[in-house]
């Protein structure tokens, strides 16, 4: 079965949000441009939050066994 690509690409949304923040912090935008960038930032933040919530739900489903939610430590990458 082929995997569906998520409706929101988290990394792209996060990168776009970072770019917007940098533009806003530069102070070079007019009030109207700042408001537009802020509005886009809010939308991107919501998209990112939705993607994270979906990932969290998927992890919970994967950890659920026999109707019981089992917890497991998150293995951090060795540095």
């Amino acid at each position: 079965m082929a995997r569906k690509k998520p409706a929101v690409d988290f990394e792209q949304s996060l990168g776009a949000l970072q770019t917007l923040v940098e533009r806003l912090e530069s102070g070079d935008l007019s009030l109207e441009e700042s408001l537009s960038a802020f509005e886009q930032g809010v939308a991107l933040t919501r998209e990112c939050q939705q993607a994270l919530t979906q990932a969290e739900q998927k992890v919970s489903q994967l950890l659920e066994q026999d109707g019981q939610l089992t917890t497991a430590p998150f293995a951090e990458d060795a540095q």
Side-chain angles (χ1 to χ4, degrees), residues 54-69:
Q54 289 173 347
E56 182 179 12
Q57 289 171 347
K58 186 170 185 171
V59 167
S60 292
Q61 289 174 351
L62 293 172
L63 292 176
E64 189 173 325
Q65 297 176 353
D66 299 325
Q68 297 290 326
L69 185 64

Side-chain angles (χ1 to χ4, degrees), residues 4 28 33-34 41 61 75:
K4 284 189 199 175
D28 295 334
E33 291 170 324
S34 294
Q61 289 174 351

Side-chain angles (χ1 to χ4, degrees), residues 12-57:
Q12 287 180 344
S13 294
L14 193 58
L17 185 57
Q18 177 69 31
T19 300
L20 280 174
V21 169
E22 290 170 0
R23 288 181 59 213
L24 284 166
E25 287 178 342
S26 75
D28 295 334
L29 300 177
S30 68
L31 177 59
E32 291 167 355
E33 291 170 324
S34 294
L35 287 173
S36 177
F38 182 78
E39 185 177 1
Q40 290 173 350
V42 169
L44 286 168
T45 300
R46 288 181 180 152
E47 289 175 7
C48 288
Q49 185 60 48
Q50 181 180 4
L52 289 172
T53 299
Q54 289 173 347
E56 182 179 12
Q57 289 171 347

